[in-house]
Amino acid sequence: MDNNFAYFTAGALPESSLRQPEVYSSNETRLYCPAPRCTESVTSDRPQDLDRHMLTSHLPCHLYCPTCFLRWDRKDGFNKHFKVAKCGPKPTREQCQIYQTTLILDWILNDDVPIEKAVCYVLSFVREKALELGKVEEWRDPWGREGKRARRRYDHLRR
């Protein structure tokens, strides 16, 4: 496998399902990230924070500008781009989505697909979209983060 698309080496996921919250204190419940050796957790009254953590820390960028082909892993950065850049009107979700985040997050967070396998699928989706758009060279970093931040975050997971 091409090292640019490598994510994890072999590693087991925690026994407990992510959607089964653990009691953190007498009045607070926490959900934990299912990625091996990731210690991120969020309170269960804001599970969207865990979704955002998964999208920004463990999955490639999922949004792109159809005009300039820049990519983002958060909607706020994407929305800001269309307010500042002269790339035309903001596209619909279907016009700018690289892969379906809700589907991937459901796979991972419901323990249907191990995170390592889900990431391999997502990287394949990114490569496929790059081919479809004719942007293979521009998207040579499948993570969309030019490797620096992604490598820094994932190197500790492979140790």
Side-chain angles (χ1 to χ4, degrees):
M1 178 181 258
D2 185 348
N3 285 338
N4 288 334
F5 296 104
Y7 180 70
F8 289 115
T9 55
L13 290 175
E15 292 286 326
S16 64
S17 170
L18 181 68
R19 292 292 185 192
Q20 296 173 353
E22 297 179 22
V23 175
Y24 184 70
S25 67
S26 60
N27 59 359
E28 188 177 85
T29 304
R30 287 198 155 308
L31 298 172
Y32 290 87
C33 177
R37 295 183 278 292
C38 181
T39 59
E40 185 71 23
S41 66
V42 298
T43 58
S44 62
D45 62 336
R46 290 195 43 89
Q48 66 268 29
D49 289 343
L50 187 56
D51 292 349
R52 184 174 56 227
H53 165 74
M54 293 296 299
L55 290 171
T56 59
S57 299
H58 301 296
L59 294 170
C61 293
H62 64 280
L63 297 168
Y64 75 98
C65 173
T67 305
C68 67
F69 298 99
L70 292 175
R71 293 181 282 168
W72 294 268
D73 55 10
R74 292 189 52 166
K75 289 183 215 171
D76 56 347
F78 176 74
N79 291 334
K80 183 179 177 183
H81 172 72
F82 282 94
K83 289 179 183 172
V84 175
K86 305 290 187 219
C87 289
K90 184 179 167 191
T92 64
R93 184 178 196 143
E94 292 78 28
Q95 293 172 316
C96 62
Q97 193 169 15
I98 299 171
Y99 60 91
Q100 294 182 6
T101 57
T102 52
L103 173 70
I104 301 301
L105 288 172
D106 283 347
W107 285 352
I108 296 168
L109 301 178
N110 293 322
D111 285 339
D112 294 334
V113 176
I115 190 169
E116 297 90 341
K117 187 175 271 191
V119 167
C120 288
Y121 288 144
V122 170
L123 292 173
S124 294
F125 298 154
V126 172
R127 285 189 296 250
E128 194 174 300
K129 190 68 167 183
L131 283 169
E132 178 185 313
L133 297 170
K135 297 295 176 186
V136 174
E137 183 59 30
E138 290 86 343
W139 287 11
R140 66 184 166 272
D141 171 21
W143 292 93
R145 299 179 179 110
E146 292 304 316
K148 291 179 185 174
R149 188 172 71 165
R151 275 193 294 275
R152 184 173 62 242
R153 279 204 176 142
Y154 299 108
D155 281 346
H156 79 278
L157 296 174
R158 288 188 239 149
R159 291 182 190 144

